[in-house]
Amino acid sequence: MSIRATRARIIATAVALAALPALSGAPAAAAHDSGVRLDFLGERELPNAMAFQGTTVGGLSAIGYDAKSGTYYVISDDRSQTGPARFYTARVDLTGGTLKGVELTGTHPWLRPDGTTFPPTSTATATATATATATVAPDPEGIAVDPRDGGLVWTSEGERIVPSDGPALLGDPWIRRATTTGAYAGQLPLPPQLHMNSQEFGPRRNQTLEGVTFTPDGRRIVTAMEDPLYQDGDDPTPEHGALTRITVHDARTGQPLAQYAYPLEPLFAATPAGSTDTNGVSDLVALGHDRFLVLERASIFADNNWKARIYLVDLHGATDVLGRDSLTDGSARPVQPVRKTLLSDLSDVPGLSRVDNVEGITLGPRLPDGRRAVVLVSDDNFAAREVTQFIAFAAHGV
């Protein structure tokens, strides 16, 4: 790309972002305007580096709930480093309208189509007699339960390593189906814009398919990209937000049906120069066909604390951008993002003393008083200074 073209693209992106009021940093609409309210029910932590059924528990990045069995499914983002890429099953005790405890009940590895577990990512150098090969382990991030048959879908962020002096290592993100024991049961097609590319087009590394959910009727699978595609503009900064994408798939065929721009907030806290930290969507859960709870989070780099917010999101009136290469290219076709309403800033929740790297959100059971449980989980990054944290709320109006 020429310098002139690059400059034009930067200007067009800046103009497009500035034109979107949802990205300006203005406060989101008050939670009571939506009719949805969250009441804090409690928080529980698992021991750091907890050993469970031959695995080290950590990296818990998403959570799903099976209403028929009462089982929670929790995915680990371990890229087959401490053990095979895997997920856990759990029970969450909400007796009496408080979070009394969390108990892991099992674990299963994700399996490849041939029935084997995933090895770690590795590279191989070409020789005179063999072509270079590479293994790309999945980066598991999202998990959801099919309300019709109890099967699972899960997402991987893929891989993108583009060295200046060698071949690129590329692994597409994916949305896969699996049984409740982790066996491969199929893969959904991706819109072409979400495939990895050695050029600056498509997803950035570690900023791809972070969240997945089924609509309550089981007819749609909906995914969220963590952050913008290269061609959709820069990541959020303290000065401006950004646009990422939510994609709706037909659950039966897997085909993409629609896609919408999601307006990320400006970065929640300033980070040191050169830091790669950014604000992004870490998970979502469907309340209905067009309404979702969306979790955004970012790190506060200086003191290893984290910031997380829950938004109510409505797709009504949003522009379908499926097939559009860029959301901020200055074209004559304006993009109307989804609408969002702030429900909770976890830093402001009375009684919640700590907010860690909260990455997963799901709806739990209906409580005796009619409110709906909302359960969150944090990713400790397998680090001693972070925690595996479960947080529960009760939702009114859901």
Side-chain angles (χ1 to χ4, degrees):
M1 182 179 291
S2 68
I3 294 176
R4 179 178 297 175
T6 301
R7 185 180 296 116
R9 175 179 167 183
I10 292 172
I11 293 172
T13 297
V15 170
L17 291 174
L20 295 169
L23 304 181
S24 66
H32 62 77
D33 293 342
S34 69
V36 178
R37 189 175 80 248
L38 298 177
D39 299 331
F40 180 56
L41 298 184
E43 178 262 354
R44 290 291 183 269
E45 296 178 7
L46 298 183
N48 183 258
M50 173 181 169
F52 179 77
Q53 294 187 1
T55 72
T56 299
V57 177
L60 304 186
S61 295
I63 185 169
Y65 177 68
D66 182 358
K68 294 178 181 177
S69 67
T71 300
Y72 289 83
Y73 292 86
V74 192
I75 199 169
S76 172
D77 69 2
D78 185 355
R79 304 193 68 172
S80 295
Q81 295 295 317
T82 72
R86 61 195 176 277
F87 65 95
Y88 296 90
T89 54
R91 284 194 294 264
V92 176
D93 185 357
L94 296 168
T95 305
T98 60
L99 177 56
K100 295 188 178 300
V102 177
E103 178 188 6
L104 299 185
T105 58
T107 184
H108 296 280
W110 297 114
L111 300 180
R112 297 188 287 183
D114 64 3
T116 60
T117 58
F118 289 94
T121 295
S122 64
T123 59
T125 304
T127 66
T129 59
T131 303
T133 60
T135 299
V136 178
D139 183 0
E141 292 291 349
I143 192 169
V145 181
D146 189 331
R148 298 169 301 177
D149 63 12
L152 305 178
V153 294
W154 63 290
T155 65
S156 167
E157 288 200 279
E159 183 60 280
R160 183 183 186 273
I161 300 175
V162 184
S164 59
D165 58 352
L169 179 62
L170 303 176
D172 276 340
W174 71 48
I175 312 161
R176 285 193 170 180
R177 303 179 191 268
T179 70
T180 55
T181 58
Y184 175 85
Q187 184 165 324
L188 279 64
L190 291 178
Q193 294 79 14
L194 303 192
H195 290 280
M196 285 295 187
N197 197 309
S198 59
Q199 305 301 312
E200 291 193 350
F201 184 92
R204 292 172 166 89
R205 185 174 191 259
N206 201 35
Q207 296 183 26
T208 74
L209 292 174
E210 189 79 11
V212 62
T213 184
F214 279 89
T215 55
D217 60 10
R219 298 177 60 186
R220 301 286 183 266
I221 296 171
V222 184
T223 62
M225 294 287 289
E226 183 175 7
D227 283 295
L229 303 176
Y230 277 108
Q231 66 269 24
D232 289 340
D234 294 334
D235 284 336
T237 71
E239 291 74 37
H240 69 75
L243 290 176
T244 190
R245 302 190 187 211
I246 291 175
T247 306
V248 180
H249 294 254
D250 183 287
R252 182 178 61 84
T253 66
Q255 291 296 325
L257 298 176
Q259 192 176 76
Y260 303 97
Y262 178 88
L264 290 165
E265 294 298 302
L267 186 60
F268 297 155
T271 58
S275 169
T276 58
D277 289 343
T278 188
N279 179 44
V281 172
S282 61
D283 205 0
L284 80 169
V285 62
L287 304 180
H289 194 73
D290 295 299
R291 291 204 313 165
F292 303 82
L293 297 181
V294 173
L295 181 64
E296 289 186 45
R297 64 90 175 85
S299 65
I300 302 174
F301 188 92
D303 54 7
N304 193 47
N305 284 329
W306 297 79
K307 191 83 167 176
R309 293 173 176 169
I310 302 171
Y311 293 89
L312 177 68
V313 171
D314 194 326
L315 304 186
H316 286 102
T319 306
D320 184 354
V321 297
L322 187 66
R324 285 187 63 159
D325 283 344
S326 175
L327 304 179
T328 56
D329 59 2
S331 72
R333 297 174 296 162
V335 172
Q336 178 62 49
V338 302
R339 292 179 292 149
K340 58 189 287 194
T341 302
L342 178 64
L343 294 183
S344 179
D345 185 326
L346 269 61
S347 298
D348 298 332
V349 173
L352 182 58
S353 60
R354 174 173 183 170
V355 178
D356 209 86
N357 180 22
V358 180
E359 287 206 0
I361 186 170
T362 192
L363 295 181
R366 186 73 61 182
L367 301 175
D369 61 7
R371 296 177 299 171
R372 188 72 182 271
V374 176
V375 182
L376 295 85
V377 69
S378 75
D379 173 1
D380 69 350
N381 291 306
F382 292 93
R385 64 180 184 172
E386 298 179 41
V387 297
T388 297
Q389 180 181 41
F390 288 81
I391 304 168
F393 292 90
H396 299 257
V398 171

